[in-house]
Amino acid sequence: MNYSEQIITPLINESVKFAQDGNFRKTQESLNRLYNLFNKPGGGKLITSYPYKQELGESFSMMLEYDWVHDSDIREVWAENGFYCFIKAIREQENATAESQAVLMLGLFAHLYLGRKSLMPKVNNILATARRRLEPIFTLDDYNHNAEYLLNQFAFMAVYGARPLIVGNPETLDYYTERFTDFENFFKQSVSRREFMQLNPFSIFNKAKFIAQIIESILNDM
């Protein structure tokens, strides 16, 4: 067990327990203690070295949901860190199956629902730099439409990647639709984006991976 696991796992488990118990205030306090681990020099490496990226990504999603600070800059950090965790988990999952990847894709989709607006500044900055460098991983449409267009691609990819889970267990979506009033609309919009249906899902994921790698380098330099 590495150092990051020793100090992060208990707080993740604690915040999940409080949330399951319906204790809103205790959940916020536990998530705040978790966030404070990262909000200091070297805190980024705790995130990148933590082995259970799915659970950590879900914790950043919870921070967006249980927001106790209402600060746009901090929400950007939570959104970026969670996005990195989910992409890293999808990319590196051991013994992956369609079903296990679908679970991660649904987690990514939920994170995008909660944090897509907060992700836009970072994604726009990355796109602007990539455009100056003529980075070929992004298309002309990506550059012309900017972050919202790219994040919509990621949501489209995630919702279709989650299909094995949703088709086999339709009630899976009930958790989100009962919890978030406009989740169903976001889901329907993401499924129906015909402009992305001809895109290669691997090319979309490579764009997400590119962004996640940049976030990772920033975290490691903290």
Side-chain angles (χ1 to χ4, degrees):
M1 180 182 294
N2 66 27
Y3 176 67
S4 64
E5 187 177 350
Q6 289 177 5
I7 62 174
I8 291 172
T9 298
L11 287 173
I12 289 178
N13 292 340
E14 179 184 77
S15 60
V16 169
K17 180 182 182 303
F18 286 138
Q20 290 173 341
D21 291 343
N23 194 324
F24 193 87
R25 184 177 62 82
K26 288 288 188 182
T27 304
Q28 288 181 316
E29 290 173 354
S30 182
L31 289 169
N32 185 55
R33 287 192 290 273
L34 179 60
Y35 171 61
N36 284 337
L37 292 178
F38 311 132
N39 191 27
K40 61 183 67 174
K45 289 183 178 178
L46 288 177
I47 295 171
T48 60
S49 64
Y50 187 68
Y52 306 114
K53 293 294 194 297
Q54 177 184 352
E55 290 80 358
L56 188 52
E58 290 168 352
S59 292
F60 284 117
S61 296
M62 288 178 68
M63 291 178 193
L64 290 165
E65 178 184 356
Y66 285 85
D67 188 356
W68 60 97
V69 289
H70 307 290
D71 182 294
S72 60
D73 290 338
I74 293 176
R75 287 187 64 86
E76 287 176 19
V77 170
W78 293 340
E80 293 160 16
N81 292 351
F83 180 80
Y84 157 74
C85 287
F86 278 112
I87 297 302
K88 190 79 168 178
I90 293 166
R91 181 183 178 188
E92 298 184 353
Q93 186 181 46
E94 295 182 2
N95 304 314
T97 64
E99 290 74 19
S100 64
Q101 287 282 284
V103 171
L104 287 169
M105 285 290 189
L106 185 57
L108 172 63
F109 182 77
H111 188 76
L112 289 169
Y113 164 78
L114 290 163
R116 62 195 184 280
K117 292 180 181 178
S118 298
L119 277 166
M120 286 184 190
K122 178 64 70 182
V123 174
N124 270 327
N125 287 342
I126 291 172
L127 275 173
T129 301
R131 187 167 200 162
R132 288 196 298 272
R133 297 176 179 176
L134 302 177
E135 174 57 57
I137 198 166
F138 300 112
T139 67
L140 187 59
D141 282 340
D142 297 331
Y143 288 129
N144 288 340
H145 291 91
N146 292 332
E148 185 174 6
Y149 180 78
L150 200 55
L151 290 167
N152 285 339
Q153 285 183 51
F154 299 158
F156 175 84
M157 172 195 71
V159 78
Y160 275 92
R163 283 186 72 181
L165 177 64
I166 297 169
V167 171
N169 304 277
E171 67 278 4
T172 301
L173 288 181
D174 293 345
Y175 170 83
Y176 298 101
T177 56
E178 291 170 3
R179 198 174 187 90
F180 307 115
T181 54
D182 57 343
F183 184 88
E184 187 173 2
N185 286 335
F186 182 60
F187 178 84
K188 289 179 178 178
Q189 289 170 5
S190 299
V191 168
S192 63
R193 292 193 183 279
R194 296 186 178 276
E195 67 269 32
F196 301 143
M197 289 182 178
Q198 301 304 314
L199 297 181
N200 185 325
F202 292 103
S203 71
I204 298 176
F205 186 73
N206 283 337
K207 298 171 192 177
K209 187 171 65 175
F210 182 90
I211 291 169
Q213 287 171 333
I214 291 176
I215 296 171
E216 180 178 55
S217 68
I218 294 169
L219 290 169
N220 283 329
D221 288 341
M222 284 176 60

